[in-house]
Amino acid sequence: MKALFLVFAQLSHTHFWIDGTDREVQGNWFWEWTGEQIAPMYTNWHTAGNEPNNLGGNEHCLEYGPVYGYQWNDIPCSHHFSAICEKD
Ligand SMILES: [Ca+2]
């Protein structure tokens, strides 16, 4: 995780996509690449901001970054952010 924070410090971006979505069933979050359920195994929601709040009924993708204290926010999938990917 320390390496990830160093990457963030080098970038001007404050929002990043990670692979989570609840596009199929509201509130049923899973990793799109693997199909694996996210909750209740692990969550990192920005609960201080009442996330996930599905604002406007259209927040079905997962963002992460310093703007939310390195916690998760659900947001419309139409936003254009850089993505964080895992490398083997
Ligand atoms: Ca949200």
Side-chain angles (χ1 to χ4, degrees), residues 45 49-55 59 61 63 68 72-76:
W45 294 111
N50 295 319
E51 302 298 347
N53 61 3
N54 193 27
L55 191 64
E59 295 191 323
C61 285
E63 71 159 315
Y68 289 102
W72 298 351
N73 174 39
D74 60 342
I75 194 166

Side-chain angles (χ1 to χ4, degrees), residues 6-25:
L6 291 173
V7 170
F8 285 137
Q10 299 296 315
L11 300 172
S12 59
H13 305 288
T14 55
H15 303 263
F16 295 88
W17 288 125
I18 56 177
D19 189 43
T21 184
D22 73 342
R23 279 190 273 215
E24 292 184 13
V25 177

